[in-house]
Amino acid sequence: MDDRRRPPIAEPQANTGWGPSTRLVHAGLESNDTTAISVPIYQTSTFSFDNAAHGAELCQQTGPSHLYTRWGNPTTHALELALADVEGAEAALAFSSGMAAGVTAVMAMVASGDHVVAANCLYAGMTELFDHVLPPLGVETTFIDPAVPDAFEQALRPNTKLIYVETPANPTLAITDLAAVAEIARRHGIFTLADNTWASPWNTRPIELGIDAVIHSATKYLGGHTDVIAGAAVGSREWINQVWPYLKIFGGCPSPHDAWLLHRGMRTLGLRVDRQNASAMEIAKFLDQHPKIETTFYPGLPDHPGHAVAKRQMQGFGGMLSFEVAGGLEAGRQLLDSLRLIIHAVSLGGVETLAVHPASTTHSPLTPEERRRGNVTEGLIRMSIGLEEPQDLIADLEQALA
Ligand code: PLP
């Protein structure tokens, strides 16, 4: 007798009434049908069929199934249940990177002849998609100031299919009023997609504010430990079913081991982000009063132009900030070269504090005009605040500025 066990595709738990921290610890475990407390890593590329008819049936499925790991995998599915839960959505798909998630989600929504309205300040890879990859395929994008809700409405055309935003924006911290944009889009029957990487779902849940779907570079706050590259798309079950065939074709599935690492990281999201929110606020205040800092961009500061909206839609103001040093690019470079504790590297959202000069690194693939359009100035320094003692980070900044 064949008594091998076929891992089931679990459904999300019914509403448990649990609070967000409890849910972070337990979400996704419903798909674990073993007695191991941690979800097993199904490090396999493929799954055996019961018989020929079963193989043929699985190959006809139009959603994730345990057939081949690019189609779906039990470890990844546990993660996907947790991703949907943390964003307050029906369903999710995990990807091999944030770019895989973003590109796959956008390609599932647009076709030749369509128009997109996108924020003028985004992660550079997504700007490159809209500005360089999609136009030869017949998809045009209008870039607008994401801090002005009316700008979205004014940019709409009869063929607009998608509104794409990121808030707070990378690297300027521009804030988009998600509820206002969702309301405009709903009136015109346009799909809204938000990159929620910078806020993290602990601070902002766009779907609860009316946005249709969310993508993530899960490499950042969701993973949280600077040890995995991954992405996520989260939304209604109907939308996820629409995106899944593109995931299957483009092939951006995560490895089961990375899915497991990401799921493990997510269980401490709340603790980490609460601490990062508090430390970033402290550091923003320090920078804001420092004579060598010209401008500090942090939505928690009362004079930030997006402060009132951020207060409404964010539970905390996040762990990301940026600033301009007096003396411009040269002074900024000197500051980065003088840091002793803060690590000079791209990426963000991990346990360690990182600093970077966007114009010459993360946003260097863009043309100077594309950077100007998004207000990515030459002297801007971006920081991702980690879990170190804020006093140690301030002391490092103080000595570097001196
Ligand atoms: N979205 C945002 C806001 C990002 O900051 C990044 C990467 O820095 C991405 C998407 C791309 O994610 P990944 O590097 O995981 O592909």
Side-chain angles (χ1 to χ4, degrees), residues 258-328:
D258 282 352
W260 183 89
L261 274 173
L262 175 54
H263 195 175
R264 181 180 69 165
M266 279 177 65
R267 296 165 89 178
T268 55
L269 178 75
L271 283 175
R272 287 185 281 107
V273 173
D274 275 345
R275 168 68 177 250
Q276 285 159 323
N277 287 339
S279 298
M281 189 74 210
E282 214 171 306
I283 292 160
K285 284 182 182 162
F286 160 78
L287 291 168
D288 201 39
Q289 55 72 49
H290 197 284
K292 289 194 177 163
I293 302 294
E294 281 184 347
T295 320
T296 307
F297 302 95
Y298 185 65
L301 295 175
D303 59 355
H304 185 282
H307 180 66
V309 175
K311 228 167 135 178
R312 233 187 297 131
Q313 73 185 20
M314 300 183 81
Q315 180 179 303
F317 295 110
M320 297 301 300
L321 55 86
S322 54
F323 55 92
E324 302 257 8
V325 192

Side-chain angles (χ1 to χ4, degrees), residues 17-187:
W18 292 337
S21 298
T22 311
R23 299 214 316 270
L24 275 174
V25 172
H26 291 275
L29 302 188
E30 60 270 40
S31 84
N32 178 9
D33 67 336
T34 72
T35 55
I37 301 298
S38 164
V39 176
I41 304 176
Y42 287 85
Q43 192 69 40
T44 184
S45 58
T46 194
F47 300 83
S48 62
F49 301 134
D50 294 344
N51 50 47
H54 178 236
E57 182 201 329
L58 277 184
C59 286
Q60 292 311 309
Q61 290 201 0
T62 54
S65 55
H66 300 150
L67 150 77
Y68 183 63
T69 282
R70 180 156 46 79
W71 262 242
N73 176 285
T75 312
T76 308
H77 186 60
L79 163 69
E80 289 169 342
L81 291 171
L83 287 166
D85 189 87
V86 74
E87 284 287 3
E90 284 176 2
L93 287 172
F95 289 82
S96 55
S97 70
M99 280 309 295
V103 171
T104 307
V106 169
M107 295 302 276
M109 300 309 298
V110 295
S112 180
D114 289 344
H115 173 246
V116 177
V117 175
N120 61 15
C121 182
L122 297 171
Y123 173 65
M126 291 307 288
T127 302
E128 287 184 275
L129 170 73
F130 292 121
D131 238 357
H132 303 295
V133 177
L134 290 182
L137 303 178
V139 180
E140 274 185 46
T141 298
T142 304
F143 294 93
I144 48 98
D145 180 350
V148 182
D150 285 350
F152 288 89
E153 190 147 31
Q154 282 155 16
L156 297 181
R157 298 183 191 164
N159 59 340
T160 306
K161 287 284 158 52
L162 176 69
I163 290 179
Y164 186 87
V165 296
E166 179 179 303
T167 183
N170 180 357
T172 62
L173 280 298
I175 299 290
T176 299
D177 186 335
L178 292 173
V181 172
E183 190 276 323
I184 292 166
R186 227 182 351 262
R187 253 194 292 118

Side-chain angles (χ1 to χ4, degrees), residues 97-99 123 166 170 195 197-198 217 219-220 230 348:
S97 70
M99 280 309 295
Y123 173 65
E166 179 179 303
N170 180 357
D195 181 335
T197 301
W198 271 40
S217 169
T219 311
K220 312 299 184 333
L348 57 110

Side-chain angles (χ1 to χ4, degrees), residues 317-340:
F317 295 110
M320 297 301 300
L321 55 86
S322 54
F323 55 92
E324 302 257 8
V325 192
L329 176 58
E330 215 22 68
R333 282 197 171 146
Q334 234 175 51
L335 170 77
L336 288 171
D337 286 345
S338 310
L339 293 169
R340 291 178 189 151

